Amino acid sequence: MTGEALSRVAGGIRVALRGVHHPSDDLSLRVVGTASIAIPESRPHVGLTPDGQPWRRVWALPDRLVLEYLDVVTVQVEDDGTVFFDEDLPADVEEHLVYDHVLPLFLARRGAVVLHGAVLGSGGAAIVLSGPTGAGKSTLSAYVAQLGWTVGGDDGAVLSFAADVTVEPTYPTVRLTPDAVQLLDLPVDVGRDVAGKRRTEPGSIATTAWTPTRLAAVVHIQPTDGGAGFTRLQGAEAHASLFAVTFHADLGPGGLLRNVVDRLAVLAETVTVGRLAVPRGARGLAAAERILATVIAEGS
Amino acid sequence: MSADDQAAFRFPQGVLAREVQGELVLLNLGTEQYYGLDQIGADIVTRLTRGPVDAALIALESTYSVDGAVLRTDVEALIEELVAAGLLEATDPR
């Protein structure tokens, strides 16, 4: 693989996959190769699947993160942005891990508040669309793009807290399952295959021209066999829902988790937070889009 | 001596308590045990961390017009749950 590092990611970070040229500054997240990685003896943070099975172990050490994706690979991310894998992976799997897992954790470790969700814009305001893997974030994102919304990305939302809370995507792409491609009536060869999904190129569905935009709402989507509906959350319940979708920066020294809790409290108090039930299928997408349009208009 | 000096309970070191719209979230930074309390729960815990248990019960009984025995049972259950989760500890562990 050759070429320039991808520069259009949040936080001024440039990402360079293996074999890609990168500038030698400290703002690059760069994969430099394969090396033996020692598993630390300290207690890890264990990530669980929705059915309670461990899928990832994380060690936050003073100068690096060690990420063990169980039965897949171990990754070491040093604070200067150097990334090692403990074995060679197919290029698409490595790309998926770097953009969708390592990048948001790296940003969080630098003090950013990063939510797992898509970033959608309309009328000068933005929504973060969150939800568990498979809930339909990407499908709904691509659908609203067809209706004229601006899509920043479908995976990570980086928040900034000033007079307003603003948001930008971690990087500009949308990953769609084959079923979603069919549902949205997109060409079957849209984008390229990355870890089992079609990753659209920056600038196709997701814009490369996103600028930090005032955040109006964080919406947690839930597929349903019933009707579409929006339930507003407040107080501790809103905070808990945000905490659950934040890339935690406990992963690092120096009170980063405390900062996350405080920032999420600000978020719960200043933007709309709620759950959106999305009926399955094309009619559900249409109903969800109408609700999102109302939510973003009310928050604008 | 301030009321806090007589508090029955406190948040252990490493526990973060953050008020959100009148409610309360508690997070043990070491274990990541996370707990959300509604406004009544937040009121209970706030009073327990600012004064003696009996004073808290009297104030809560007055505020919520609730039966004293029921209130005591509910408060004790909440205390037990939070202490077990490492989110609250007695100031005098005797």
Side-chain angles (χ1 to χ4, degrees):
Chain A
M1 187 183 296
T2 59
E4 294 297 314
L6 176 61
S7 61
R8 294 186 184 278
V9 299
I13 292 174
R14 286 182 283 273
V15 175
L17 298 173
R18 192 184 302 230
V20 174
H21 169 75
H22 58 81
S24 57
D25 61 48
D26 66 356
L27 289 179
S28 292
L29 187 64
R30 51 195 179 276
V31 180
V32 297
T34 303
S36 175
I37 298 173
I39 296 296
E41 295 180 356
S42 54
R43 185 175 65 87
H45 171 84
V46 180
L48 301 175
T49 60
D51 61 355
Q53 298 302 311
W55 68 278
R56 187 187 70 187
R57 298 197 297 169
V58 177
W59 288 265
L61 304 173
D63 60 346
R64 66 191 187 282
L65 292 171
V66 176
L67 316 171
E68 180 188 24
Y69 296 91
L70 299 176
D71 301 323
V72 180
V73 71
T74 299
V75 189
Q76 180 164 304
V77 186
E78 300 180 356
D79 282 354
D80 69 356
T82 303
V83 178
F84 292 98
F85 289 79
D86 73 340
E87 61 180 276
D88 289 330
L89 293 172
D92 63 325
V93 176
E94 188 171 291
E95 179 179 339
H96 167 57
L97 283 172
V98 169
Y99 283 118
D100 298 323
H101 293 270
V102 172
L103 174 61
L105 290 171
F106 186 67
L107 288 164
R109 185 167 168 99
R110 287 172 167 245
V113 175
V114 187
L115 306 186
H116 181 203
V119 180
L120 314 176
S122 179
I127 282 179
V128 171
L129 193 65
S130 185
T133 299
K137 298 185 295 292
S138 302
T139 307
L140 185 52
S141 298
Y143 177 77
V144 301
Q146 294 176 330
L147 298 183
W149 289 58
T150 303
V151 175
D154 72 343
D155 189 71
V158 184
L159 307 184
S160 296
F161 294 81
D164 287 325
V165 181
T166 59
V167 62
E168 60 181 321
T170 49
Y171 69 100
T173 191
V174 173
R175 294 175 65 230
L176 296 167
T177 64
D179 284 348
V181 169
Q182 186 175 24
L183 180 67
L184 296 165
D185 200 24
L186 293 169
V188 293
D189 60 349
V190 64
R192 58 197 172 84
D193 189 56
V194 174
K197 293 183 180 179
R198 304 299 299 184
R199 183 194 291 282
T200 63
E201 294 301 323
S204 55
I205 294 176
T207 179
T208 57
W210 185 281
T211 56
T213 302
R214 190 179 63 74
L215 181 63
V218 178
V219 176
H220 308 291
I221 62 169
Q222 298 173 318
T224 180
D225 293 322
F230 183 73
T231 305
R232 194 177 298 261
L233 304 178
Q234 292 188 315
E237 190 176 15
H239 192 279
S241 76
L242 296 169
F243 189 77
V245 299
T246 303
F247 286 92
H248 293 162
D250 50 315
L251 317 174
L256 292 175
L257 192 53
R258 184 180 299 273
N259 178 62
V260 167
V261 169
D262 283 342
R263 295 297 198 189
L264 295 184
V266 171
L267 195 59
E269 291 164 348
T270 54
V271 309
T272 299
V273 181
R275 293 197 181 97
L276 173 61
V278 182
R280 301 175 203 284
R283 290 177 60 188
L285 293 176
E289 191 275 337
R290 287 193 292 272
I291 292 173
L292 289 177
T294 300
V295 169
I296 200 168
E298 289 178 350
S300 297
Chain B
M1 181 177 286
S2 70
D4 284 6
D5 293 330
Q6 303 169 24
F9 290 90
R10 65 190 168 208
F11 300 117
Q13 189 170 14
V15 169
L16 176 61
R18 181 65 156 86
E19 185 265 338
V20 186
Q21 295 175 313
E23 302 185 347
L24 193 65
V25 296
L26 302 175
L27 178 66
N28 185 317
L29 297 171
T31 64
E32 289 189 46
Q33 182 82 35
Y34 181 101
Y35 206 99
L37 293 165
D38 64 12
Q39 288 192 350
I40 295 175
D43 191 13
I44 293 170
V45 169
T46 300
R47 291 181 188 277
L48 291 172
T49 56
R50 290 183 179 170
V53 173
D54 286 346
L57 289 170
I58 291 169
L60 291 164
E61 187 174 346
S62 171
T63 301
Y64 298 106
S65 301
V66 63
D67 177 78
V70 172
L71 175 66
R72 179 175 287 276
T73 300
D74 288 349
V75 168
E76 288 176 351
L78 179 60
I79 291 170
E80 186 176 346
E81 191 171 342
L82 294 177
V83 169
L87 296 169
L88 196 66
E89 66 183 9
T91 53
D92 180 358
R94 290 176 296 177

